[in-house]
Amino acid sequence: MPAEATKGLRRNPIQEIFWTRTGLLLLILVVVSGLTMVLSANLDPGVVKNLVNSVATGTLVSAIVGFGQTLITATATQRAMLTPLIEESQQALRDLSAEYRSMNREFFPTHVFEPTAEPNPALNRLMMQDLQGARQYLFRGFSGRHAAARLLLSKAEWELRAVVADPGNISGIGGRARYLIRHSAADVDIDTIQARLLEEIRMGLVGLYLARSRCTRMEVTVISDPPLDRLEIFDNSVWVTLYSDAHAPAEYPRTLRFEDGSFIYNMERAEFGRISASQHAQHLVITPDMTRQEFITRFEKITNSTLTEEQFLELNAEFYNFVREFAITAELGS
């Protein structure tokens, strides 16, 4: 009988005895004792019957005594050898399971959100929960308008550090422009897309200024060549939106969430710190009491472009329209 078939049968010392040569010997003794007893019953009284009865009785006693001794020996052997082996195997399995869980936490995302044509409500609800429980919000992206929208749709205060694209450097937005062209329903040219993206960057900077009341302090770093993937780091998680995926089938690409302490969390946080501290980037500090004129002056210095009062109001209106639309499609309320 194969081991798999007998595994479920040999669960205690009696079953161990049954499946060994000792068990077979005991069975033979019992059978011999039974046969001699039957033979003795059919014999006439006399020496032969007494001899047969003696053999039957002795064989039965030997079988009973042998069974008891074997049972005691099997039990002691199981306790001395098998039980520690089982406990050691179980501990090894527990250690292996813990190692796999540690590896999963270290290298694998806790959540994977597939590409969608519209903002994913489940993704945004979970991200807002992470934001609500955080003290610091680190954002590395394209325009910063999503970060500003999340701040305005929340009810707490944070320290925000953001890395966004430079609206004065058109060559730095080529990657995002190509991504949008691949997923644009209309037939649009690269110049139209780039013009729209530059406007989004300007709107995002204005949006960050408008969300200043939600932060104790904002530090915005403007770089000429931002990474394609959007990065949002909270106290207990990091979110990576893969705009670098050339084969993404929808406008909103795949997004991955990793826990704090994971390899990805530590790596991305270190990389964010390196980029935001770059001496070759422009830096803008926004405080809750910063006036509009102070912001416009800093905006013009960083972007090398003018921002009139009328343009500011237009960008203001565009941003709040974006916030309303984003709140509806992402089901975040207002």
Short mmCIF file of all heavy atoms in Angstrom, two decimals, residues 123-184:
data_model
loop_
_atom_site.label_atom_id
_atom_site.label_comp_id
_atom_site.label_asym_id
_atom_site.label_seq_id
_atom_site.Cartn_x
_atom_site.Cartn_y
_atom_site.Cartn_z
N LEU A 123 -9.66 52.78 -5.42
CA LEU A 123 -8.28 53.25 -5.27
C LEU A 123 -8.25 54.57 -4.50
O LEU A 123 -7.47 54.73 -3.55
CB LEU A 123 -7.64 53.42 -6.65
CG LEU A 123 -6.20 53.94 -6.75
CD1 LEU A 123 -5.58 53.47 -8.07
CD2 LEU A 123 -6.11 55.47 -6.69
N ASN A 124 -9.07 55.51 -4.89
CA ASN A 124 -9.04 56.83 -4.28
C ASN A 124 -9.55 56.82 -2.85
O ASN A 124 -9.05 57.57 -2.01
CB ASN A 124 -9.84 57.81 -5.14
CG ASN A 124 -9.08 58.22 -6.39
OD1 ASN A 124 -8.16 59.02 -6.34
ND2 ASN A 124 -9.46 57.65 -7.53
N ARG A 125 -10.52 55.96 -2.55
CA ARG A 125 -10.99 55.87 -1.16
C ARG A 125 -9.87 55.34 -0.25
O ARG A 125 -9.64 55.86 0.84
CB ARG A 125 -12.22 54.97 -1.07
CG ARG A 125 -13.51 55.66 -1.50
CD ARG A 125 -14.72 54.86 -1.06
NE ARG A 125 -14.77 53.55 -1.69
CZ ARG A 125 -15.40 53.30 -2.85
NH1 ARG A 125 -16.02 54.28 -3.48
NH2 ARG A 125 -15.41 52.09 -3.35
N LEU A 126 -9.17 54.30 -0.71
CA LEU A 126 -8.09 53.75 0.10
C LEU A 126 -6.94 54.74 0.23
O LEU A 126 -6.35 54.89 1.31
CB LEU A 126 -7.59 52.45 -0.52
CG LEU A 126 -6.47 51.72 0.23
CD1 LEU A 126 -6.87 51.41 1.66
CD2 LEU A 126 -6.07 50.44 -0.50
N MET A 127 -6.64 55.46 -0.84
CA MET A 127 -5.56 56.45 -0.77
C MET A 127 -5.93 57.59 0.18
O MET A 127 -5.08 58.08 0.94
CB MET A 127 -5.25 57.00 -2.16
CG MET A 127 -4.04 57.91 -2.18
SD MET A 127 -3.64 58.56 -3.81
CE MET A 127 -3.11 57.08 -4.66
N MET A 128 -7.19 58.00 0.16
CA MET A 128 -7.61 59.06 1.07
C MET A 128 -7.54 58.59 2.53
O MET A 128 -7.24 59.38 3.43
CB MET A 128 -9.03 59.51 0.73
CG MET A 128 -9.15 60.23 -0.62
SD MET A 128 -8.23 61.79 -0.70
CE MET A 128 -9.32 62.85 0.26
N GLN A 129 -7.78 57.30 2.78
CA GLN A 129 -7.64 56.77 4.13
C GLN A 129 -6.18 56.85 4.58
O GLN A 129 -5.89 57.21 5.72
CB GLN A 129 -8.13 55.32 4.19
CG GLN A 129 -9.62 55.16 4.03
CD GLN A 129 -10.04 53.70 4.01
OE1 GLN A 129 -9.26 52.80 4.31
NE2 GLN A 129 -11.28 53.45 3.63
N ASP A 130 -5.26 56.50 3.68
CA ASP A 130 -3.84 56.61 3.99
C ASP A 130 -3.45 58.06 4.24
O ASP A 130 -2.64 58.36 5.13
CB ASP A 130 -3.00 56.03 2.86
CG ASP A 130 -3.04 54.51 2.80
OD1 ASP A 130 -3.62 53.90 3.73
OD2 ASP A 130 -2.52 53.93 1.83
N LEU A 131 -4.02 58.97 3.46
CA LEU A 131 -3.73 60.39 3.64
C LEU A 131 -4.24 60.89 4.98
O LEU A 131 -3.55 61.64 5.69
CB LEU A 131 -4.34 61.19 2.49
CG LEU A 131 -4.26 62.72 2.60
CD1 LEU A 131 -2.81 63.19 2.63
CD2 LEU A 131 -5.00 63.39 1.44
N GLN A 132 -5.46 60.47 5.35
CA GLN A 132 -6.04 60.93 6.61
C GLN A 132 -5.20 60.50 7.80
O GLN A 132 -5.12 61.21 8.81
CB GLN A 132 -7.46 60.38 6.75
CG GLN A 132 -8.48 60.99 5.81
CD GLN A 132 -8.72 62.47 6.10
OE1 GLN A 132 -8.71 63.30 5.23
NE2 GLN A 132 -8.94 62.79 7.37
N GLY A 133 -4.56 59.32 7.70
CA GLY A 133 -3.77 58.84 8.83
C GLY A 133 -2.32 59.26 8.79
O GLY A 133 -1.52 58.79 9.61
N ALA A 134 -1.95 60.13 7.86
CA ALA A 134 -0.55 60.53 7.71
C ALA A 134 -0.31 61.92 8.28
O ALA A 134 -1.22 62.75 8.38
CB ALA A 134 -0.15 60.50 6.23
N ARG A 135 0.94 62.19 8.63
CA ARG A 135 1.34 63.52 9.05
C ARG A 135 2.09 64.24 7.94
O ARG A 135 2.11 65.46 7.89
CB ARG A 135 2.23 63.43 10.30
CG ARG A 135 1.51 62.95 11.55
CD ARG A 135 2.49 62.67 12.66
NE ARG A 135 3.45 61.61 12.28
CZ ARG A 135 4.47 61.23 13.04
NH1 ARG A 135 4.68 61.81 14.20
NH2 ARG A 135 5.28 60.28 12.63
N GLN A 136 2.71 63.45 7.05
CA GLN A 136 3.48 64.03 5.95
C GLN A 136 3.02 63.40 4.64
O GLN A 136 2.78 62.20 4.55
CB GLN A 136 4.97 63.77 6.16
CG GLN A 136 5.86 64.51 5.16
CD GLN A 136 7.34 64.22 5.42
OE1 GLN A 136 7.79 63.08 5.35
NE2 GLN A 136 8.10 65.26 5.72
N TYR A 137 2.90 64.24 3.62
CA TYR A 137 2.44 63.80 2.30
C TYR A 137 3.53 64.18 1.30
O TYR A 137 3.84 65.37 1.13
CB TYR A 137 1.11 64.49 1.99
CG TYR A 137 0.50 64.16 0.64
CD1 TYR A 137 0.87 63.06 -0.10
CD2 TYR A 137 -0.51 64.99 0.11
CE1 TYR A 137 0.29 62.77 -1.32
CE2 TYR A 137 -1.10 64.70 -1.11
CZ TYR A 137 -0.70 63.60 -1.81
OH TYR A 137 -1.28 63.31 -3.03
N LEU A 138 4.13 63.17 0.68
CA LEU A 138 5.16 63.40 -0.32
C LEU A 138 4.57 63.06 -1.69
O LEU A 138 4.05 61.96 -1.89
CB LEU A 138 6.39 62.52 -0.06
CG LEU A 138 6.99 62.57 1.35
CD1 LEU A 138 8.23 61.70 1.43
CD2 LEU A 138 7.31 64.01 1.75
N PHE A 139 4.68 63.98 -2.62
CA PHE A 139 4.10 63.80 -3.95
C PHE A 139 5.16 64.08 -5.01
O PHE A 139 5.81 65.13 -4.98
CB PHE A 139 2.91 64.75 -4.15
CG PHE A 139 2.29 64.67 -5.53
CD1 PHE A 139 1.26 63.79 -5.80
CD2 PHE A 139 2.75 65.49 -6.56
CE1 PHE A 139 0.70 63.72 -7.07
CE2 PHE A 139 2.20 65.42 -7.83
CZ PHE A 139 1.17 64.53 -8.08
N ARG A 140 5.32 63.14 -5.93
CA ARG A 140 6.17 63.36 -7.09
C ARG A 140 5.36 63.01 -8.33
O ARG A 140 4.96 61.87 -8.51
CB ARG A 140 7.42 62.48 -7.03
CG ARG A 140 8.46 62.82 -8.12
CD ARG A 140 9.42 61.67 -8.30
NE ARG A 140 8.78 60.53 -8.94
CZ ARG A 140 9.23 59.28 -8.86
NH1 ARG A 140 10.29 59.01 -8.13
NH2 ARG A 140 8.60 58.30 -9.49
N GLY A 141 5.10 64.03 -9.14
CA GLY A 141 4.26 63.79 -10.29
C GLY A 141 4.49 64.82 -11.37
O GLY A 141 5.57 65.38 -11.50
N PHE A 142 3.41 65.08 -12.09
CA PHE A 142 3.54 65.94 -13.25
C PHE A 142 3.13 67.37 -12.93
O PHE A 142 3.92 68.29 -13.03
CB PHE A 142 2.69 65.36 -14.38
CG PHE A 142 2.84 66.10 -15.67
CD1 PHE A 142 4.02 66.05 -16.39
CD2 PHE A 142 1.80 66.87 -16.15
CE1 PHE A 142 4.15 66.74 -17.58
CE2 PHE A 142 1.93 67.56 -17.35
CZ PHE A 142 3.10 67.50 -18.05
N SER A 143 1.89 67.53 -12.52
CA SER A 143 1.41 68.89 -12.28
C SER A 143 1.10 69.19 -10.82
O SER A 143 1.06 70.36 -10.42
CB SER A 143 0.14 69.14 -13.11
OG SER A 143 -0.93 68.34 -12.62
N GLY A 144 0.86 68.18 -10.01
CA GLY A 144 0.50 68.41 -8.61
C GLY A 144 -0.96 68.72 -8.39
O GLY A 144 -1.38 68.95 -7.26
N ARG A 145 -1.77 68.74 -9.45
CA ARG A 145 -3.18 69.10 -9.26
C ARG A 145 -3.93 68.03 -8.48
O ARG A 145 -4.85 68.35 -7.70
CB ARG A 145 -3.86 69.35 -10.61
CG ARG A 145 -3.78 68.19 -11.59
CD ARG A 145 -4.46 68.49 -12.89
NE ARG A 145 -4.45 67.32 -13.77
CZ ARG A 145 -5.30 67.12 -14.75
NH1 ARG A 145 -6.26 68.01 -14.98
NH2 ARG A 145 -5.22 66.04 -15.50
N HIS A 146 -3.56 66.74 -8.65
CA HIS A 146 -4.22 65.70 -7.88
C HIS A 146 -3.88 65.81 -6.40
O HIS A 146 -4.75 65.61 -5.53
CB HIS A 146 -3.83 64.31 -8.41
CG HIS A 146 -4.53 63.94 -9.68
ND1 HIS A 146 -4.03 64.24 -10.92
CD2 HIS A 146 -5.71 63.29 -9.90
CE1 HIS A 146 -4.86 63.79 -11.86
NE2 HIS A 146 -5.88 63.22 -11.26
N ALA A 147 -2.63 66.12 -6.10
CA ALA A 147 -2.23 66.30 -4.70
C ALA A 147 -3.01 67.46 -4.07
O ALA A 147 -3.53 67.35 -2.95
CB ALA A 147 -0.73 66.55 -4.61
N ALA A 148 -3.11 68.58 -4.78
CA ALA A 148 -3.85 69.73 -4.26
C ALA A 148 -5.33 69.40 -4.08
O ALA A 148 -5.95 69.81 -3.10
CB ALA A 148 -3.68 70.92 -5.21
N ALA A 149 -5.89 68.63 -5.02
CA ALA A 149 -7.31 68.25 -4.91
C ALA A 149 -7.53 67.36 -3.69
O ALA A 149 -8.52 67.54 -2.96
CB ALA A 149 -7.75 67.52 -6.19
N ARG A 150 -6.64 66.40 -3.45
CA ARG A 150 -6.79 65.53 -2.29
C ARG A 150 -6.72 66.34 -0.99
O ARG A 150 -7.47 66.08 -0.05
CB ARG A 150 -5.71 64.46 -2.29
CG ARG A 150 -5.80 63.49 -3.44
CD ARG A 150 -4.83 62.32 -3.27
NE ARG A 150 -4.65 61.64 -4.54
CZ ARG A 150 -5.54 60.83 -5.09
NH1 ARG A 150 -6.69 60.61 -4.46
NH2 ARG A 150 -5.31 60.23 -6.25
N LEU A 151 -5.84 67.32 -0.96
CA LEU A 151 -5.73 68.15 0.24
C LEU A 151 -7.02 68.92 0.49
O LEU A 151 -7.50 69.00 1.63
CB LEU A 151 -4.55 69.11 0.11
CG LEU A 151 -3.15 68.47 0.07
CD1 LEU A 151 -2.10 69.53 -0.22
CD2 LEU A 151 -2.85 67.76 1.38
N LEU A 152 -7.59 69.52 -0.56
CA LEU A 152 -8.81 70.30 -0.40
C LEU A 152 -10.01 69.43 -0.03
O LEU A 152 -10.94 69.90 0.62
CB LEU A 152 -9.11 71.08 -1.68
CG LEU A 152 -8.24 72.31 -1.93
CD1 LEU A 152 -8.58 72.93 -3.27
CD2 LEU A 152 -8.40 73.33 -0.81
N LEU A 153 -9.98 68.15 -0.45
CA LEU A 153 -11.10 67.25 -0.16
C LEU A 153 -10.94 66.56 1.19
O LEU A 153 -11.78 65.75 1.57
CB LEU A 153 -11.22 66.20 -1.26
CG LEU A 153 -11.64 66.74 -2.64
CD1 LEU A 153 -11.51 65.65 -3.70
CD2 LEU A 153 -13.06 67.28 -2.60
N SER A 154 -9.89 66.87 1.92
CA SER A 154 -9.65 66.29 3.24
C SER A 154 -9.90 67.34 4.32
O SER A 154 -10.08 68.52 4.03
CB SER A 154 -8.22 65.75 3.33
OG SER A 154 -7.98 64.80 2.31
N LYS A 155 -9.86 66.88 5.57
CA LYS A 155 -10.21 67.78 6.68
C LYS A 155 -9.10 67.92 7.71
O LYS A 155 -9.32 68.42 8.80
CB LYS A 155 -11.47 67.23 7.39
CG LYS A 155 -12.67 67.04 6.47
CD LYS A 155 -13.11 68.35 5.82
CE LYS A 155 -14.33 68.14 4.93
NZ LYS A 155 -14.72 69.39 4.22
N ALA A 156 -7.91 67.48 7.37
CA ALA A 156 -6.81 67.55 8.33
C ALA A 156 -5.71 68.46 7.81
O ALA A 156 -5.85 69.09 6.76
CB ALA A 156 -6.28 66.14 8.62
N GLU A 157 -4.61 68.52 8.53
CA GLU A 157 -3.47 69.33 8.12
C GLU A 157 -2.23 68.44 8.01
O GLU A 157 -2.05 67.51 8.79
CB GLU A 157 -3.21 70.45 9.13
CG GLU A 157 -4.25 71.55 9.11
CD GLU A 157 -3.85 72.72 9.98
OE1 GLU A 157 -2.81 72.60 10.68
OE2 GLU A 157 -4.55 73.75 9.97
N TRP A 158 -1.38 68.75 7.03
CA TRP A 158 -0.18 67.95 6.79
C TRP A 158 1.00 68.86 6.48
O TRP A 158 0.84 70.06 6.26
CB TRP A 158 -0.37 67.02 5.59
CG TRP A 158 -1.48 66.06 5.74
CD1 TRP A 158 -1.44 64.79 6.25
CD2 TRP A 158 -2.87 66.28 5.40
NE1 TRP A 158 -2.68 64.21 6.26
CE2 TRP A 158 -3.57 65.09 5.73
CE3 TRP A 158 -3.57 67.35 4.84
CZ2 TRP A 158 -4.93 64.96 5.53
CZ3 TRP A 158 -4.92 67.22 4.65
CH2 TRP A 158 -5.60 66.04 4.98
N GLU A 159 2.14 68.23 6.39
CA GLU A 159 3.31 68.84 5.78
C GLU A 159 3.44 68.24 4.39
O GLU A 159 3.52 67.02 4.24
CB GLU A 159 4.57 68.54 6.59
CG GLU A 159 5.84 69.08 5.94
CD GLU A 159 7.10 68.57 6.60
OE1 GLU A 159 7.00 68.01 7.70
OE2 GLU A 159 8.18 68.71 6.00
N LEU A 160 3.42 69.07 3.37
CA LEU A 160 3.48 68.60 1.99
C LEU A 160 4.83 68.92 1.38
O LEU A 160 5.32 70.04 1.47
CB LEU A 160 2.38 69.24 1.13
CG LEU A 160 2.46 68.91 -0.37
CD1 LEU A 160 2.09 67.47 -0.65
CD2 LEU A 160 1.58 69.86 -1.18
N ARG A 161 5.41 67.92 0.75
CA ARG A 161 6.60 68.12 -0.08
C ARG A 161 6.26 67.54 -1.45
O ARG A 161 5.89 66.37 -1.57
CB ARG A 161 7.82 67.43 0.53
CG ARG A 161 8.25 68.01 1.86
CD ARG A 161 9.29 67.14 2.54
NE ARG A 161 10.50 67.04 1.70
CZ ARG A 161 11.46 66.14 1.93
NH1 ARG A 161 11.34 65.27 2.93
NH2 ARG A 161 12.52 66.11 1.15
N ALA A 162 6.37 68.35 -2.48
CA ALA A 162 5.97 67.95 -3.82
C ALA A 162 7.08 68.19 -4.82
O ALA A 162 7.83 69.17 -4.71
CB ALA A 162 4.69 68.68 -4.25
N VAL A 163 7.17 67.30 -5.80
CA VAL A 163 8.08 67.46 -6.94
C VAL A 163 7.23 67.45 -8.20
O VAL A 163 6.52 66.48 -8.46
CB VAL A 163 9.12 66.32 -7.00
CG1 VAL A 163 9.98 66.43 -8.26
CG2 VAL A 163 10.00 66.33 -5.75
N VAL A 164 7.28 68.54 -8.97
CA VAL A 164 6.45 68.67 -10.17
C VAL A 164 7.30 69.13 -11.34
O VAL A 164 8.46 69.52 -11.18
CB VAL A 164 5.27 69.65 -9.93
CG1 VAL A 164 4.36 69.16 -8.82
CG2 VAL A 164 5.81 71.05 -9.61
N ALA A 165 6.69 69.09 -12.52
CA ALA A 165 7.41 69.46 -13.74
C ALA A 165 7.52 70.97 -13.88
O ALA A 165 6.70 71.73 -13.35
CB ALA A 165 6.70 68.87 -14.96
N ASP A 166 8.51 71.39 -14.62
CA ASP A 166 8.74 72.81 -14.90
C ASP A 166 7.90 73.23 -16.11
O ASP A 166 8.10 72.72 -17.22
CB ASP A 166 10.22 73.02 -15.19
CG ASP A 166 10.58 74.50 -15.39
OD1 ASP A 166 9.65 75.33 -15.40
OD2 ASP A 166 11.77 74.79 -15.55
N PRO A 167 6.94 74.15 -15.94
CA PRO A 167 6.12 74.57 -17.09
C PRO A 167 6.90 75.37 -18.12
O PRO A 167 6.41 75.63 -19.22
CB PRO A 167 5.03 75.42 -16.44
CG PRO A 167 5.65 75.94 -15.19
CD PRO A 167 6.56 74.85 -14.71
N GLY A 168 8.12 75.75 -17.79
CA GLY A 168 8.92 76.50 -18.75
C GLY A 168 9.82 75.63 -19.61
O GLY A 168 10.55 76.14 -20.45
N ASN A 169 9.77 74.30 -19.41
CA ASN A 169 10.62 73.39 -20.17
C ASN A 169 9.75 72.37 -20.90
O ASN A 169 9.35 71.36 -20.33
CB ASN A 169 11.61 72.68 -19.24
CG ASN A 169 12.57 71.79 -19.98
OD1 ASN A 169 12.66 71.85 -21.21
ND2 ASN A 169 13.29 70.95 -19.25
N ILE A 170 9.48 72.62 -22.16
CA ILE A 170 8.57 71.77 -22.93
C ILE A 170 9.17 70.40 -23.22
O ILE A 170 8.46 69.40 -23.40
CB ILE A 170 8.15 72.48 -24.24
CG1 ILE A 170 6.93 71.79 -24.85
CG2 ILE A 170 9.32 72.51 -25.23
CD1 ILE A 170 6.32 72.56 -25.99
N SER A 171 10.51 70.31 -23.26
CA SER A 171 11.14 69.02 -23.56
C SER A 171 10.96 68.01 -22.45
O SER A 171 11.05 66.80 -22.67
CB SER A 171 12.63 69.22 -23.84
OG SER A 171 13.29 69.74 -22.69
N GLY A 172 10.68 68.49 -21.23
CA GLY A 172 10.55 67.59 -20.10
C GLY A 172 9.20 66.91 -19.99
O GLY A 172 9.01 66.07 -19.11
N ILE A 173 8.25 67.27 -20.84
CA ILE A 173 6.91 66.69 -20.75
C ILE A 173 6.63 65.73 -21.90
O ILE A 173 5.50 65.32 -22.11
CB ILE A 173 5.83 67.79 -20.73
CG1 ILE A 173 5.84 68.57 -22.05
CG2 ILE A 173 6.05 68.73 -19.54
CD1 ILE A 173 4.73 69.60 -22.14
N GLY A 174 7.67 65.39 -22.67
CA GLY A 174 7.46 64.53 -23.83
C GLY A 174 6.92 63.16 -23.49
O GLY A 174 6.07 62.62 -24.20
N GLY A 175 7.42 62.56 -22.37
CA GLY A 175 6.95 61.23 -22.00
C GLY A 175 5.48 61.20 -21.68
O GLY A 175 4.74 60.32 -22.14
N ARG A 176 5.01 62.17 -20.90
CA ARG A 176 3.58 62.21 -20.57
C ARG A 176 2.74 62.53 -21.80
O ARG A 176 1.64 62.01 -21.96
CB ARG A 176 3.33 63.24 -19.47
CG ARG A 176 1.87 63.36 -19.03
CD ARG A 176 1.35 62.07 -18.43
NE ARG A 176 2.01 61.74 -17.20
CZ ARG A 176 1.63 62.17 -16.00
NH1 ARG A 176 0.57 62.95 -15.89
NH2 ARG A 176 2.28 61.80 -14.92
N ALA A 177 3.26 63.38 -22.69
CA ALA A 177 2.53 63.72 -23.91
C ALA A 177 2.34 62.48 -24.79
O ALA A 177 1.25 62.24 -25.33
CB ALA A 177 3.27 64.80 -24.69
N ARG A 178 3.40 61.67 -24.92
CA ARG A 178 3.27 60.45 -25.73
C ARG A 178 2.29 59.47 -25.11
O ARG A 178 1.54 58.80 -25.83
CB ARG A 178 4.66 59.80 -25.88
CG ARG A 178 5.60 60.56 -26.81
CD ARG A 178 6.85 59.78 -27.10
NE ARG A 178 7.67 59.58 -25.90
CZ ARG A 178 8.58 60.44 -25.49
NH1 ARG A 178 8.81 61.56 -26.16
NH2 ARG A 178 9.29 60.20 -24.39
N TYR A 179 2.27 59.40 -23.79
CA TYR A 179 1.31 58.51 -23.13
C TYR A 179 -0.12 58.94 -23.42
O TYR A 179 -0.99 58.12 -23.72
CB TYR A 179 1.56 58.50 -21.62
CG TYR A 179 0.67 57.54 -20.87
CD1 TYR A 179 1.07 56.23 -20.63
CD2 TYR A 179 -0.59 57.93 -20.41
CE1 TYR A 179 0.26 55.34 -19.97
CE2 TYR A 179 -1.41 57.06 -19.74
CZ TYR A 179 -1.00 55.76 -19.52
OH TYR A 179 -1.81 54.87 -18.86
N LEU A 180 -0.39 60.24 -23.33
CA LEU A 180 -1.74 60.73 -23.56
C LEU A 180 -2.17 60.56 -25.01
O LEU A 180 -3.33 60.28 -25.30
CB LEU A 180 -1.84 62.21 -23.15
CG LEU A 180 -1.69 62.48 -21.64
CD1 LEU A 180 -1.76 63.96 -21.37
CD2 LEU A 180 -2.76 61.73 -20.85
N ILE A 181 -1.22 60.73 -25.94
CA ILE A 181 -1.56 60.55 -27.35
C ILE A 181 -1.98 59.11 -27.62
O ILE A 181 -2.92 58.85 -28.39
CB ILE A 181 -0.36 60.96 -28.24
CG1 ILE A 181 -0.19 62.48 -28.22
CG2 ILE A 181 -0.54 60.46 -29.67
CD1 ILE A 181 1.02 62.96 -28.98
N ARG A 182 -1.30 58.16 -26.98
CA ARG A 182 -1.66 56.75 -27.19
C ARG A 182 -3.08 56.45 -26.74
O ARG A 182 -3.74 55.55 -27.27
CB ARG A 182 -0.69 55.85 -26.42
CG ARG A 182 0.68 55.71 -27.04
CD ARG A 182 1.41 54.51 -26.48
NE ARG A 182 1.57 54.57 -25.04
CZ ARG A 182 2.61 55.12 -24.42
NH1 ARG A 182 3.58 55.66 -25.14
NH2 ARG A 182 2.69 55.14 -23.11
N HIS A 183 -3.56 57.18 -25.74
CA HIS A 183 -4.87 56.87 -25.18
C HIS A 183 -5.91 57.96 -25.45
O HIS A 183 -6.95 58.00 -24.81
CB HIS A 183 -4.73 56.65 -23.67
CG HIS A 183 -3.77 55.57 -23.32
ND1 HIS A 183 -4.02 54.24 -23.56
CD2 HIS A 183 -2.53 55.62 -22.78
CE1 HIS A 183 -2.99 53.52 -23.18
NE2 HIS A 183 -2.06 54.34 -22.70
N SER A 184 -5.63 58.83 -26.38
CA SER A 184 -6.58 59.87 -26.74
C SER A 184 -7.57 59.33 -27.76
O SER A 184 -7.19 58.72 -28.76
CB SER A 184 -5.85 61.09 -27.30
OG SER A 184 -6.77 62.07 -27.69
#
